[in-house]
Every structure is written in C-alpha cells, then in structure tokens.
Amino acid sequence: MSDSSTAANREKMLDIAIGPVPDWGMACVEDMMATLKSDTELFPCVFAVAAAHRGGLRFGFVDDVHDERTWTALPDILATYLAGYRQISRETSLVVFFGSPDERSDAMGPAGSEHPNASTAPAVGVDTYEDRFWSLLQYLHDNDTSPWPSDIPTDTDDPGWEFSFRGTPIFVVCNTPAHRRLRSRNNPTFTVTFQPRWVFEGLGATTPRGASSRRIIRDRLARFDAVDSTPLLGSYGDPENREWKQYFLRDDASVGDLCPFLGNADRVPAGNRLSGSTAIPTPTEKLFKVVVNHEDQYSVWPQDRRNALGWFDTSVVGTRQECLDSVALTWTDMRPRRLRRKMAMAAEAARASAATSQPRESVSA
C-alpha cells in the first residue's frame, strides 16, 4: 500500500475514532469490519451489522487490558461518545479495543478463522478475561461523575437493571481472543462494545421489528456458534431476564451465579479510584501531562486534573517544561486536522484540474 493510501486510510480512521489511534488500532478495526460485513458468514448481531454498513460505529483504544494504569483513557472515550451518539445514527455502537501485545499474535482471525500466528491455545484464558471485563465495568462505575439514573435499579438481580454511565443506560458485550466454541464472542483482541439503550427503543420483544430481529439473531447464532447461548439472551425488562448475564458469556455459554458488579451503595466515590497515575507528586513536585483532542491539537495540563470532554492523555508525563518541549517537537503544524485535510483536498483538486486542462500536443500526419 502506498504512503498516500496509508495516510488516507488513517484520516478515515481518525474520523470514526474517539481518542488517539495506536499503531495496532487500524488492524483491529479492519478485522472487525471484515467480520461484520461478511457476505459468506453472516454475523449474528443484526444491530452491529447495520451499524457497520451505515457508518454508525465509533472506535476507541486502550493500551493494555491487563495494566490498570492505562484504563484512565476509557472513561474519557465513553463520555465523549455518549455526549454525541444521538447525532451519529440510530444504529450506533462504541467499540473499544484493549491492547495486549503479548496476546494479539495468539488470537483468532475474523469469524473464528485461525490467525496466521495463532498458537494451539490462547495465552490468557476466558476466566481471566471475565475478571478483566467486570473490573473494567467497575472501574467505569467508580469513576463516573454523574449519578446513577433514577429510573434504573441498582440491584443487578432486578430485571430493570442495566449498566449505566454518565446517566445513560448501556447494553454491554465483551469479546475475547480466548473464545473458541462461542465464536460470536471471539475477537483477535479483547473488545468491549457499548450500545446505548436508545438504540433499542421501539425494538421490544413484543414489537414486530424487535421479534423479527431476535429471530434472525437466534437463527444466525445457531449456525455461527458450536454451543447454544440463546437461553441467556433475554429481552430487557422481561421479569425472567437478567441483563448482566448477556454481557460476558463463558465459552460454554454459561455465566456465574452472582454478578460481580457493585452498585452505588458499595462503590468507591468518583475520583478516588483512578489508577492511571504513574506517580504521586510530593509537596515540592508538580507533574504535568500532554493531552490531545480529535483535531490533533495539544495542550499541557496538571497530571491530577481530570480531562475535559474530548481531550485524551498521551504517553507524555513530566515537568511542565518537559511537556511543553514535547509539544513543541510534536505539534509542528498548528492547523486543526480538518483544515489540513480540507486544504490538501483543495490542492489535489487544483492539480487534477490543471492536468486535465493542459492542451494536447498536435500530431502531424
């Protein structure tokens, strides 16, 4: 692929990404889009497939699912998405990929095919990923700056319970590299998908569209998976349904007896559980960090300051001067990303126009 094609693809990725895109991020998105758009093996979740075809998916990236210091990016990614998801599409979801360099080469490829570097067994088991998933949800909850929605129960055993963040109820699904038999829950990297409840409005089990969608999903699951997960796939609000049981399914399509999630009454107050700090400043030491927004604009903030909506941490932490020096080396073009792209497209159009308007040399007989 040429440098210009790579740059163009990265620009497209930045349009649908929330927060910085790591080097490994492009491959993650390409793998997922290939799975969701496959015509030969139809992915079971019709809602995710519709979002992929209609441009409703947004993507975020967290460096390491096993390193809680990197998780500070997750609340910022989810909060930014929730601030504008209704303007994206009715079919929308946020997909967050979690890096783990030592495990990505052991993952399976799209739709369960073997990754070129796959080993005979995953480096990390489903049980470890299950613990990571519930720890991530707890981390989000413990660092939520908004109150739990008044109309959503806090008891996970209530059929009306659903995970919520920034006052928004959200259906959550986890996919891992360790899933083998339950292929609908497999992905080459550990992945968590967030679907706002708003997406499912008007699609209840008793509505024609809702009943049709669920029938299609169940039929596709029967062909996609080696085990039957449909007994756990209930409808929100059904007295027999427990929403949390659909979030993380083990590879034999089972779940634990009790939900690990702790609601408001048991949670640590927001701001007391952020684990991403690399150091605790002494009274004479003040650490700063470099942050960036979606327009590739940089700023320097105190490290202990919570990011404003739309701003994300980079890997740079140090004294204020060290951070300023890093920004000076990195931010060499002060134009916002959208302006840079607009000017580049205008220049390309001008070059194409000039080329087509050049008079052709006459050919003598």
Side-chain angles (χ1 to χ4, degrees), residues 39 43 47 58 66 101 103 123-124 160 187 214 232 235 243 254 273 304 311 333 348 355 358 360-361:
D39 293 327
F43 191 75
F47 305 111
R58 294 296 181 268
H66 302 298
E103 293 164 23
V124 175
N187 200 62
R214 285 162 179 79
L232 290 172
S235 299
E243 196 81 345
S254 67
R273 199 173 182 270
D304 56 1
W311 289 86
D333 189 335
E348 181 63 28
Q358 290 292 330
R360 296 181 179 181
E361 294 183 3

mmCIF file of all heavy atoms in Angstrom, residues 39 43 47 58 66 101 103 123-124 160 187 214 232 235 243 254 273 304 311 333 348 355 358 360-361:
data_model
loop_
_atom_site.group_PDB
_atom_site.id
_atom_site.type_symbol
_atom_site.label_atom_id
_atom_site.label_comp_id
_atom_site.label_asym_id
_atom_site.label_seq_id
_atom_site.Cartn_x
_atom_site.Cartn_y
_atom_site.Cartn_z
ATOM 1 N N ASP A 39 -20.279 -11.427 3.612
ATOM 2 C CA ASP A 39 -21.447 -11.947 2.908
ATOM 3 C C ASP A 39 -21.500 -13.468 2.933
ATOM 4 O O ASP A 39 -22.533 -14.071 2.620
ATOM 5 C CB ASP A 39 -21.426 -11.487 1.437
ATOM 6 C CG ASP A 39 -21.618 -9.988 1.310
ATOM 7 O OD1 ASP A 39 -22.343 -9.416 2.136
ATOM 8 O OD2 ASP A 39 -21.030 -9.396 0.383
ATOM 9 N N PHE A 43 -22.809 -12.367 10.420
ATOM 10 C CA PHE A 43 -22.603 -12.195 11.855
ATOM 11 C C PHE A 43 -23.959 -12.119 12.553
ATOM 12 O O PHE A 43 -24.897 -11.478 12.053
ATOM 13 C CB PHE A 43 -21.793 -10.918 12.116
ATOM 14 C CG PHE A 43 -21.327 -10.807 13.537
ATOM 15 C CD1 PHE A 43 -20.275 -11.582 13.989
ATOM 16 C CD2 PHE A 43 -21.945 -9.943 14.426
ATOM 17 C CE1 PHE A 43 -19.839 -11.505 15.301
ATOM 18 C CE2 PHE A 43 -21.515 -9.849 15.738
ATOM 19 C CZ PHE A 43 -20.466 -10.637 16.180
ATOM 20 N N PHE A 47 -27.853 -5.706 14.770
ATOM 21 C CA PHE A 47 -27.695 -4.302 15.129
ATOM 22 C C PHE A 47 -26.267 -3.835 14.844
ATOM 23 O O PHE A 47 -26.046 -2.742 14.325
ATOM 24 C CB PHE A 47 -28.048 -4.084 16.605
ATOM 25 C CG PHE A 47 -29.414 -4.582 16.975
ATOM 26 C CD1 PHE A 47 -29.569 -5.678 17.799
ATOM 27 C CD2 PHE A 47 -30.555 -3.962 16.482
ATOM 28 C CE1 PHE A 47 -30.830 -6.153 18.137
ATOM 29 C CE2 PHE A 47 -31.820 -4.412 16.811
ATOM 30 C CZ PHE A 47 -31.960 -5.517 17.639
ATOM 31 N N ARG A 58 -18.290 3.684 16.162
ATOM 32 C CA ARG A 58 -17.186 4.520 16.610
ATOM 33 C C ARG A 58 -16.223 3.635 17.381
ATOM 34 O O ARG A 58 -16.640 2.648 17.993
ATOM 35 C CB ARG A 58 -17.664 5.691 17.467
ATOM 36 C CG ARG A 58 -18.501 6.703 16.689
ATOM 37 C CD ARG A 58 -17.697 7.385 15.604
ATOM 38 N NE ARG A 58 -18.459 8.373 14.853
ATOM 39 C CZ ARG A 58 -19.130 8.125 13.732
ATOM 40 N NH1 ARG A 58 -19.149 6.886 13.232
ATOM 41 N NH2 ARG A 58 -19.787 9.073 13.101
ATOM 42 N N HIS A 66 -4.553 -5.537 30.753
ATOM 43 C CA HIS A 66 -4.012 -6.067 31.997
ATOM 44 C C HIS A 66 -3.303 -5.010 32.845
ATOM 45 O O HIS A 66 -2.913 -5.309 33.972
ATOM 46 C CB HIS A 66 -3.041 -7.211 31.695
ATOM 47 C CG HIS A 66 -3.664 -8.328 30.923
ATOM 48 N ND1 HIS A 66 -4.720 -9.086 31.395
ATOM 49 C CD2 HIS A 66 -3.402 -8.808 29.674
ATOM 50 C CE1 HIS A 66 -5.061 -9.985 30.498
ATOM 51 N NE2 HIS A 66 -4.292 -9.832 29.441
ATOM 52 N N PRO A 101 0.046 -6.629 23.817
ATOM 53 C CA PRO A 101 0.974 -7.030 22.747
ATOM 54 C C PRO A 101 1.372 -8.493 22.762
ATOM 55 O O PRO A 101 1.582 -9.100 21.716
ATOM 56 C CB PRO A 101 2.194 -6.125 22.993
ATOM 57 C CG PRO A 101 1.637 -4.937 23.710
ATOM 58 C CD PRO A 101 0.527 -5.479 24.573
ATOM 59 N N GLU A 103 -0.425 -10.981 23.505
ATOM 60 C CA GLU A 103 -1.528 -11.889 23.236
ATOM 61 C C GLU A 103 -2.109 -11.723 21.848
ATOM 62 O O GLU A 103 -2.739 -12.637 21.332
ATOM 63 C CB GLU A 103 -2.644 -11.676 24.266
ATOM 64 C CG GLU A 103 -2.222 -12.085 25.660
ATOM 65 C CD GLU A 103 -3.158 -11.535 26.705
ATOM 66 O OE1 GLU A 103 -4.321 -11.238 26.366
ATOM 67 O OE2 GLU A 103 -2.731 -11.386 27.856
ATOM 68 N N ALA A 123 -3.135 -17.407 25.011
ATOM 69 C CA ALA A 123 -2.188 -17.108 26.079
ATOM 70 C C ALA A 123 -2.904 -16.825 27.390
ATOM 71 O O ALA A 123 -2.363 -17.056 28.464
ATOM 72 C CB ALA A 123 -1.322 -15.911 25.675
ATOM 73 N N VAL A 124 -4.122 -16.314 27.327
ATOM 74 C CA VAL A 124 -4.908 -15.978 28.509
ATOM 75 C C VAL A 124 -6.255 -16.673 28.389
ATOM 76 O O VAL A 124 -6.863 -16.701 27.314
ATOM 77 C CB VAL A 124 -5.098 -14.459 28.624
ATOM 78 C CG1 VAL A 124 -6.019 -14.111 29.789
ATOM 79 C CG2 VAL A 124 -3.744 -13.773 28.801
ATOM 80 N N GLY A 160 -34.951 -4.796 35.602
ATOM 81 C CA GLY A 160 -34.801 -3.471 35.005
ATOM 82 C C GLY A 160 -33.395 -2.916 35.097
ATOM 83 O O GLY A 160 -33.123 -1.810 34.608
ATOM 84 N N ASN A 187 -12.874 -12.369 19.292
ATOM 85 C CA ASN A 187 -12.254 -11.275 18.537
ATOM 86 C C ASN A 187 -10.745 -11.362 18.733
ATOM 87 O O ASN A 187 -10.294 -11.779 19.814
ATOM 88 C CB ASN A 187 -12.772 -9.916 19.016
ATOM 89 C CG ASN A 187 -12.547 -8.831 17.979
ATOM 90 O OD1 ASN A 187 -13.062 -8.893 16.873
ATOM 91 N ND2 ASN A 187 -11.750 -7.848 18.334
ATOM 92 N N ARG A 214 -34.778 -10.472 16.743
ATOM 93 C CA ARG A 214 -34.337 -11.525 17.657
ATOM 94 C C ARG A 214 -34.413 -12.903 17.013
ATOM 95 O O ARG A 214 -33.584 -13.768 17.268
ATOM 96 C CB ARG A 214 -35.160 -11.472 18.941
ATOM 97 C CG ARG A 214 -34.743 -10.314 19.841
ATOM 98 C CD ARG A 214 -35.776 -9.966 20.886
ATOM 99 N NE ARG A 214 -35.308 -8.878 21.734
ATOM 100 C CZ ARG A 214 -35.322 -7.597 21.383
ATOM 101 N NH1 ARG A 214 -35.795 -7.241 20.190
ATOM 102 N NH2 ARG A 214 -34.874 -6.649 22.194
ATOM 103 N N LEU A 232 -29.776 -17.625 27.435
ATOM 104 C CA LEU A 232 -29.365 -16.466 28.237
ATOM 105 C C LEU A 232 -29.719 -15.140 27.569
ATOM 106 O O LEU A 232 -29.587 -14.083 28.183
ATOM 107 C CB LEU A 232 -27.851 -16.516 28.474
ATOM 108 C CG LEU A 232 -27.353 -17.615 29.416
ATOM 109 C CD1 LEU A 232 -25.836 -17.657 29.401
ATOM 110 C CD2 LEU A 232 -27.870 -17.398 30.834
ATOM 111 N N SER A 235 -34.923 -10.458 26.837
ATOM 112 C CA SER A 235 -35.312 -9.107 26.430
ATOM 113 C C SER A 235 -35.319 -8.195 27.651
ATOM 114 O O SER A 235 -35.772 -8.586 28.735
ATOM 115 C CB SER A 235 -36.703 -9.128 25.783
ATOM 116 O OG SER A 235 -36.703 -9.939 24.628
ATOM 117 N N GLU A 243 -30.106 -8.769 32.783
ATOM 118 C CA GLU A 243 -29.323 -8.164 31.711
ATOM 119 C C GLU A 243 -27.837 -8.478 31.806
ATOM 120 O O GLU A 243 -27.157 -8.704 30.794
ATOM 121 C CB GLU A 243 -29.553 -6.646 31.714
ATOM 122 C CG GLU A 243 -29.115 -5.948 30.453
ATOM 123 C CD GLU A 243 -30.116 -6.054 29.324
ATOM 124 O OE1 GLU A 243 -31.035 -6.894 29.407
ATOM 125 O OE2 GLU A 243 -29.982 -5.302 28.355
ATOM 126 N N SER A 254 -22.115 -20.325 29.510
ATOM 127 C CA SER A 254 -22.607 -20.251 30.882
ATOM 128 C C SER A 254 -22.184 -18.927 31.506
ATOM 129 O O SER A 254 -21.367 -18.190 30.951
ATOM 130 C CB SER A 254 -22.053 -21.413 31.712
ATOM 131 O OG SER A 254 -20.643 -21.279 31.883
ATOM 132 N N ARG A 273 -10.618 6.358 42.699
ATOM 133 C CA ARG A 273 -10.156 5.057 42.242
ATOM 134 C C ARG A 273 -9.348 5.120 40.957
ATOM 135 O O ARG A 273 -8.962 4.111 40.398
ATOM 136 C CB ARG A 273 -11.372 4.138 42.038
ATOM 137 C CG ARG A 273 -11.037 2.661 42.014
ATOM 138 C CD ARG A 273 -12.302 1.836 41.971
ATOM 139 N NE ARG A 273 -12.000 0.421 41.988
ATOM 140 C CZ ARG A 273 -11.798 -0.314 40.904
ATOM 141 N NH1 ARG A 273 -11.865 0.241 39.722
ATOM 142 N NH2 ARG A 273 -11.534 -1.592 40.989
ATOM 143 N N ASP A 304 -2.899 15.516 37.682
ATOM 144 C CA ASP A 304 -4.016 15.092 38.527
ATOM 145 C C ASP A 304 -5.340 15.751 38.133
ATOM 146 O O ASP A 304 -6.358 15.577 38.801
ATOM 147 C CB ASP A 304 -3.719 15.392 40.000
ATOM 148 C CG ASP A 304 -3.394 16.863 40.252
ATOM 149 O OD1 ASP A 304 -3.415 17.660 39.279
ATOM 150 O OD2 ASP A 304 -3.121 17.220 41.415
ATOM 151 N N TRP A 311 -10.793 15.559 25.267
ATOM 152 C CA TRP A 311 -9.338 15.600 25.404
ATOM 153 C C TRP A 311 -8.863 14.284 25.992
ATOM 154 O O TRP A 311 -9.493 13.727 26.904
ATOM 155 C CB TRP A 311 -8.900 16.768 26.286
ATOM 156 C CG TRP A 311 -9.080 18.096 25.621
ATOM 157 C CD1 TRP A 311 -10.201 18.858 25.599
ATOM 158 C CD2 TRP A 311 -8.105 18.810 24.870
ATOM 159 N NE1 TRP A 311 -9.993 19.999 24.877
ATOM 160 C CE2 TRP A 311 -8.704 20.012 24.415
ATOM 161 C CE3 TRP A 311 -6.771 18.562 24.529
ATOM 162 C CZ2 TRP A 311 -8.021 20.949 23.650
ATOM 163 C CZ3 TRP A 311 -6.085 19.504 23.765
ATOM 164 C CH2 TRP A 311 -6.710 20.680 23.336
ATOM 165 N N ASP A 333 2.607 21.467 12.977
ATOM 166 C CA ASP A 333 1.622 22.094 12.092
ATOM 167 C C ASP A 333 0.439 22.505 12.960
ATOM 168 O O ASP A 333 -0.299 21.658 13.462
ATOM 169 C CB ASP A 333 1.179 21.112 11.007
ATOM 170 C CG ASP A 333 0.323 21.781 9.926
ATOM 171 O OD1 ASP A 333 -0.302 22.812 10.230
ATOM 172 O OD2 ASP A 333 0.289 21.256 8.795
ATOM 173 N N GLU A 348 -5.202 19.005 -4.138
ATOM 174 C CA GLU A 348 -5.265 17.851 -5.035
ATOM 175 C C GLU A 348 -6.240 18.117 -6.178
ATOM 176 O O GLU A 348 -5.978 17.771 -7.334
ATOM 177 C CB GLU A 348 -5.701 16.614 -4.235
ATOM 178 C CG GLU A 348 -5.792 15.336 -5.055
ATOM 179 C CD GLU A 348 -4.442 14.916 -5.615
ATOM 180 O OE1 GLU A 348 -3.402 15.244 -4.997
ATOM 181 O OE2 GLU A 348 -4.433 14.271 -6.685
ATOM 182 N N ALA A 355 -4.063 19.421 -14.628
ATOM 183 C CA ALA A 355 -3.587 18.349 -15.513
ATOM 184 C C ALA A 355 -4.553 18.107 -16.661
ATOM 185 O O ALA A 355 -4.133 17.872 -17.810
ATOM 186 C CB ALA A 355 -3.394 17.065 -14.708
ATOM 187 N N GLN A 358 -4.462 20.964 -19.535
ATOM 188 C CA GLN A 358 -3.269 21.163 -20.361
ATOM 189 C C GLN A 358 -3.600 20.806 -21.815
ATOM 190 O O GLN A 358 -4.172 19.757 -22.093
ATOM 191 C CB GLN A 358 -2.138 20.262 -19.875
ATOM 192 C CG GLN A 358 -1.562 20.670 -18.527
ATOM 193 C CD GLN A 358 -0.810 21.991 -18.602
ATOM 194 O OE1 GLN A 358 -0.247 22.331 -19.649
ATOM 195 N NE2 GLN A 358 -0.862 22.748 -17.529
ATOM 196 N N ARG A 360 -3.332 19.322 -25.474
ATOM 197 C CA ARG A 360 -2.618 18.166 -26.004
ATOM 198 C C ARG A 360 -1.778 18.590 -27.218
ATOM 199 O O ARG A 360 -2.159 19.468 -27.981
ATOM 200 C CB ARG A 360 -3.600 17.079 -26.448
ATOM 201 C CG ARG A 360 -4.428 16.506 -25.308
ATOM 202 C CD ARG A 360 -5.347 15.418 -25.818
ATOM 203 N NE ARG A 360 -6.121 14.842 -24.743
ATOM 204 C CZ ARG A 360 -6.998 13.857 -24.911
ATOM 205 N NH1 ARG A 360 -7.206 13.375 -26.143
ATOM 206 N NH2 ARG A 360 -7.671 13.397 -23.882
ATOM 207 N N GLU A 361 -0.611 17.938 -27.345
ATOM 208 C CA GLU A 361 0.234 18.251 -28.488
ATOM 209 C C GLU A 361 -0.421 17.719 -29.776
ATOM 210 O O GLU A 361 -0.964 16.626 -29.796
ATOM 211 C CB GLU A 361 1.611 17.589 -28.318
ATOM 212 C CG GLU A 361 2.393 18.170 -27.147
ATOM 213 C CD GLU A 361 3.777 17.550 -27.051
ATOM 214 O OE1 GLU A 361 4.089 16.732 -27.944
ATOM 215 O OE2 GLU A 361 4.501 17.871 -26.126
#
